[in-house]
Amino acid sequence: GREPMLPSGGRLLALARRGGRGQEAGLPVLDADDPRAVAEFVLAHTREVRSSGEVRMWIGERAVELSPEAGRLLAQTLVALAREIPGVEVERGIRVEVQ
């Protein structure tokens, strides 16, 4: 029943309440009595992906320059996908090849 506490520039990721589940106002509702699940959700959605100079893309043999936003979006998408694979650590980087 309280207003959300957000840092400056923050965004609301989910709601947490006792017995919570499902969605409300387009946000996931987490069970506040399951702190592990809440912590895992927060960690999965708040890790920053640095993209300045770290995201590179080649098409064929040609290097393609990505805008900072495109690089960040690509990096965040790949990190999210990789984190779904059991036993994978993404902190050391990701290399993807599509042929």
Side-chain angles (χ1 to χ4, degrees), residues 51-53 55 64-74:
S51 63
S52 58
V55 178
V64 177
E65 188 168 330
L66 298 171
S67 70
E69 184 58 33
R72 192 169 26 261
L73 179 62
L74 179 60

Side-chain angles (χ1 to χ4, degrees), residues 3-92:
E3 288 295 313
M5 294 183 296
L6 296 173
S8 177
R11 66 186 177 104
L12 194 58
L13 296 174
L15 305 172
R17 71 166 70 99
R18 295 188 107 165
R21 69 173 76 93
Q23 290 217 339
E24 183 175 320
L27 295 169
V29 180
L30 309 175
D31 185 352
D33 290 327
D34 186 357
R36 176 174 287 230
V38 172
E40 287 173 355
F41 179 90
V42 170
L43 287 173
H45 290 84
T46 59
R47 289 186 179 140
E48 281 297 314
V49 176
R50 292 171 289 145
S51 63
S52 58
E54 294 183 40
V55 178
R56 296 178 207 92
M57 183 177 191
W58 287 263
I59 297 178
E61 298 297 317
R62 182 174 163 243
V64 177
E65 188 168 330
L66 298 171
S67 70
E69 184 58 33
R72 192 169 26 261
L73 179 62
L74 179 60
Q76 289 173 338
T77 301
L78 292 172
V79 167
L81 289 170
R83 285 190 177 136
E84 295 299 316
I85 303 169
V88 169
E89 293 182 27
V90 298
E91 283 70 26
R92 295 180 63 193

